[in-house]
Amino acid sequence: MASSVMLFFKAQVLSGVVPGVTSFLPPSSSPGWAEDINNATLGFQKVFVVGLPSRTDRRDGMLLQASLSDVDIEFVDGILGKDINEKAIPQTKKKDENQRMGLPVIGSWRAHMNAIHEVVRRNLSSALILEDDVDWDVRIREQLRDFAFSTNALTQPLRATPSSYSDPTFPTAPSDDSPAVSVADISFHHLPAILPPRFSPYGDNWDVLWIGHCGMHFPAAGRPGAVPRGRVIHSDDVTVPERRYLWTLNDPFTLKDQYPEHTRAAHHVQEGVCTLGYAVTQKAARQILHEIALRDVSDAFDITMRFFCEGVRGHRRHTCLTVQPALFHHHRPAGPAKALSDIGDHGDEFRETASTDMVRWSVRMNADVLLEGRRDFWDVIDLIQGANANGMVQLGRQFLSAAYLMASYDTGKFQMRMANPTNDQNLVAVTEKGFEVTDNFCAADKTPTDSGTGGNAGNQTDPKTGTPVARSKSGTPGVISGVVIAVLAIVSLIGIATWFFLKRRKAAVAGRKAAVAGSQDPSRTSPHYDALPSQTKDVHMQVYPKPELQGSSPDPSSHQISPQAPGPHSNYRYELA
Ligand SMILES: *[C@@H]1O[C@H](CO)[C@@H](O)[C@H](O)[C@H]1NC(C)=O
Ligand SMILES: *[C@@H]1O[C@H](CO)[C@@H](O)[C@H](O)[C@H]1NC(C)=O
Ligand SMILES: CC(=O)N[C@H]1CO[C@H](CO)[C@@H](O)[C@@H]1O
């Protein structure tokens, strides 16, 4: 169900578009236990793709993509919520009609349950389940091999002391109220020696590998469940795009805020959103049948999966591992946005160019190159720039190459960020004559950032607010007017966005009734939408270009309009089927 919306505003990047000609890196050698990852089912016993049989376009796309990657897939039929027999939807608690989940949520739940059902019926030792609109990197096997090294480091017994693990919080993390145990990051480049796995190349101790998602948190004290807190940090992973191309539905985005460029992290699942791709073991599939298929559908499937992993809301805790950025992401083909989902509303927009976010050498975007047997793959960066050259809205020249707005209907809040301005400067408000405006234009409720990362030499600090304001390095009038244009453009976009948000919200209210379960936190069910128009003024204070861009440490809390992490019940986009 689409109870929230994310809009992207992109401006043209002026630099020339050059195809990404990069030499292909041959996979390095692997130990014997990792070899199966190179097989046709990626080291699982089966790869299933779930989706509606009527979406033959998606099946064609998935089939082509899988064949170009030498992956053997099998389709599992999803079903529309309206076609499910009412009596087949388990009801283990007494409920009112209006406490039922919406049909899209039920359809998505059933599609995934059909896949899980197959895993159990065929007694598969493990299976990877993908939604039918995902894309991956041409180097997927290397990525999975690296992920397997990481999951083994987190969950296999140490070779030297087989009764212990390198993560001191595995298998049982201290419960929430016990004193925080600090867990050092494990470097991917110095992994501990472990007992080689025997059950699966990914380890002997996992239930779920949630490797396609739209957001995860690092486990930490104070988050739900007693999730083990170890992280394997893979720095200099060339398959990770630059940070400015990364996004998540979970805020804060610690990976992007606190780790260097091209870092991938493997860790246990916490607050995952979207089930684009996940593997299950036979044991876990049986448990999912027991705990998710045969119980009330009281949340969307990804949210229930989160509870299943974390061991909250009446579920037992399971060993679920994940990776950030994920390895499977949505692919959006060119065409009417409506076609993107059979269950969510994507409006009347027409998408001129296909895209896949956060995958550098996307298989789908490189189908031509692969079909011709070439190796000069297009990088996501070139593709995004190419897409921008094809008539995306132009805003403020290269200063503001992308801004995005995230609105959550559940909390009644929205948030705006620039995703991709320049690395050279902060965005500041200036007067017509080019002087900085220091009286709280963009900064009223910001606390001083102390990034300490440099890169903004020549900046000043506003004596009143303590807010750092940076000057453009070049400082030419052209530069400054570009900034002005960018700022004005954003302010006007906010107006449009607010209008859009309110319009959408009206339509959503009716749908929400069904979706809001009785157990929902009451503060979430009464969002103050009506206050939004008057908040528009505050919102431009939230236009903060810097933290995402320069590798600065995150400026805690002040950047958020609201406690924004999708709470257990907040539903973002569900794209299945
Ligand atoms: C790939 O490896 C996995 C794990 O060892 C195994 O279960 C599966 O049968 C293999 N797939 C193929 C097609 O050989
Ligand atoms: C399922 O597979 C396991 C492991 O291969 C085997 O021990 C078990 O007997 C099988 N169960 C059924 C019902 O076939
Ligand atoms: C010249 C100057 O004041 N530079 C400062 C700009 O801001 C950064 C971080 O806020 C400081 O580290 C610099 O010293």
Side-chain angles (χ1 to χ4, degrees), residues 449 451-452 456-459 468:
T449 52
S451 66
N456 52 358
N459 50 344

Side-chain angles (χ1 to χ4, degrees), residues 375-398:
R375 287 297 195 191
D376 53 336
F377 298 109
W378 288 85
D379 195 307
V380 63
I381 296 151
D382 313 306
L383 293 162
I384 286 177
Q385 292 184 352
N388 288 342
N390 283 343
M392 303 281 290
V393 196
Q394 289 190 30
L395 295 177
R397 304 200 288 179
Q398 71 262 51

